[in-house]
Amino acid sequence: MSDAGLHRLQTLEVGATDAVQKHYARRIVERRPVSQRKLEFEQKRPRWLREMLAEATGVFFYVYPGIASTASFFLNETEPAFGSLLQIGFAYAFGIAFAIITCASTSGGHFNPAVTICFAIWQDFPWKKVPVYIFSQIFGAFMAGMVLMGQYHEQMAAFDAASLAKVGSSVYNGGPASILCTFPGETQHNLGYLFLIEFFVDAYIAIVIWSALDPANPFVSPASAPFVIGFAYAAMVWGFAGVSISTNLARDLGTRVVAAIFYGGEAFSYRSYCWIAILVNVPATFAATCYYELVLRDSLAKLGTGRAAPVHAK
């Protein structure tokens, strides 16, 4: 290397080092200390109310981007860039991840009635809290649907008018109501077939959730768990959204109530399908968690790593 080139390299190195030193030496503004008044306020907040609001907020964070992405998919037929099944899957994945990151530290981050019930069965979650959590989760999904209808009011009204003129109804797969909740397609008349699809999809997601929350699992860190769970949902959306899946009692029931408000009771009666979308998630999640607890979980591995203690330990 020439003397000029060597001098230039040394100058660049010195300049980079100087920049790094300035970066580390810059003054960082420290956060103000927490006042006693704020601490007293936080201690007086009802724990049950915070948990309810956290569950409702988490479900809102999960459902809102998902149905908004679905709306952009259906309402922008001439602009492919505005929506796709890939986009919808990512919207649900990141929505779930953000819900867990934002609210799980307050309520535990259930965001699904079936998960709440299974936590009560397997993880000693208080049964007295189960109805409160489920109500909050359904309410969060309901609010997500109401907010979406307000934001897309003009587009939804135009879509509804076009659907009524073309099909004579707003409640069908691909219609305005299907932006909020799921309905079977034109060729899907076999409820047993739809039941099995929903059951196995929900069981798949539940096993991923239980494995991500297993402290003996070395492959999932606490920081990555929200995204692992979120992309389990996305994988099922990408694979089975075309054949109608719900994946969550609260997500479907809350938004289905909104669909009934705007498009009539057919949102619940259409082809007698709604019970599959609303209820199958519960037995599917229980069966999946039962399989994980009885077959896949290794409590001795937890004891060996010091992450859990035997019941009789003091």
Side-chain angles (χ1 to χ4, degrees):
M1 181 180 292
S2 65
D3 293 341
L6 182 61
H7 176 72
R8 182 182 179 188
L9 178 61
Q10 291 173 344
T11 302
L12 288 173
E13 289 177 348
V14 172
T17 303
D18 184 59
V20 171
Q21 288 176 345
K22 288 182 179 179
H23 173 76
Y24 281 112
R26 68 180 181 177
R27 183 172 180 271
I28 304 298
V29 179
E30 295 183 0
R31 185 177 179 181
R32 293 174 56 187
V34 180
S35 66
Q36 184 63 32
R37 179 180 297 180
K38 181 173 176 59
L39 290 174
E40 292 175 355
F41 166 76
E42 291 180 354
Q43 290 177 352
K44 291 179 180 179
R45 294 176 300 180
R47 178 68 186 177
W48 63 270
L49 181 60
R50 293 181 61 219
E51 291 174 343
M52 285 184 64
L53 292 175
E55 283 295 302
T57 303
V59 175
F60 183 95
F61 270 42
Y62 148 42
V63 174
Y64 181 61
I67 59 177
S69 184
T70 305
S72 68
F73 176 70
F74 280 108
L75 299 175
N76 295 281
E77 295 181 354
T78 59
E79 297 289 342
F82 279 102
S84 67
L85 184 59
L86 181 66
Q87 173 186 306
I88 294 172
F90 274 117
Y92 276 111
F94 283 110
I96 291 167
F98 295 154
I100 296 172
I101 292 169
T102 305
C103 302
S105 60
T106 301
S107 66
H110 299 187
F111 311 140
N112 185 332
V115 171
T116 298
I117 293 171
C118 288
F119 269 124
I121 294 172
W122 300 111
Q123 304 292 340
D124 294 327
F125 182 75
W127 279 102
K128 65 180 181 180
K129 289 186 177 183
V130 170
V132 176
Y133 266 54
I134 292 176
F135 171 80
S136 302
Q137 292 155 2
I138 296 172
F139 180 74
F142 172 80
M143 289 305 301
M146 291 297 290
V147 170
L148 179 87
M149 292 299 295
Q151 292 176 308
Y152 275 97
H153 173 70
E154 294 183 0
Q155 296 93 324
M156 292 292 286
F159 187 26
D160 184 33
S163 296
L164 290 173
K166 182 179 180 180
V167 183
S169 175
S170 301
V171 180
Y172 61 93
N173 190 313
S178 67
I179 291 175
L180 297 166
C181 53
T182 57
F183 298 96
E186 294 182 3
T187 61
Q188 296 172 330
H189 299 282
N190 189 329
L191 293 181
Y193 165 77
L194 294 171
F195 173 91
L196 288 176
I197 291 174
E198 186 69 41
F199 187 93
F200 283 106
V201 164
D202 296 346
Y204 179 97
I205 294 172
I207 289 178
V208 174
I209 292 174
W210 234 239
S211 65
L213 299 179
D214 188 349
N217 188 343
F219 300 104
V220 182
S221 66
S224 65
F227 298 96
V228 171
I229 295 171
F231 277 95
Y233 277 88
M236 293 298 96
V237 169
W238 293 327
F240 296 97
V243 287
S244 302
I245 56 172
S246 167
T247 72
N248 188 324
L249 185 160
R251 172 257 179 278
D252 189 89
L253 179 56
T255 54
R256 195 172 293 273
V257 171
V258 177
I261 291 173
F262 285 91
Y263 304 114
E266 192 180 3
F268 282 93
S269 62
Y270 185 80
R271 294 190 186 176
S272 303
Y273 167 76
C274 75
W275 69 270
I276 294 176
I278 296 172
L279 298 178
V280 172
N281 178 242
V282 176
T285 302
F286 172 72
T289 56
C290 185
Y291 174 78
Y292 191 91
E293 292 288 341
L294 299 180
V295 178
L296 300 180
R297 187 180 292 280
D298 189 351
S299 297
L300 290 178
K302 290 195 295 183
L303 296 175
T305 57
R307 295 186 177 183
V311 175
H312 60 272
K314 295 183 180 179

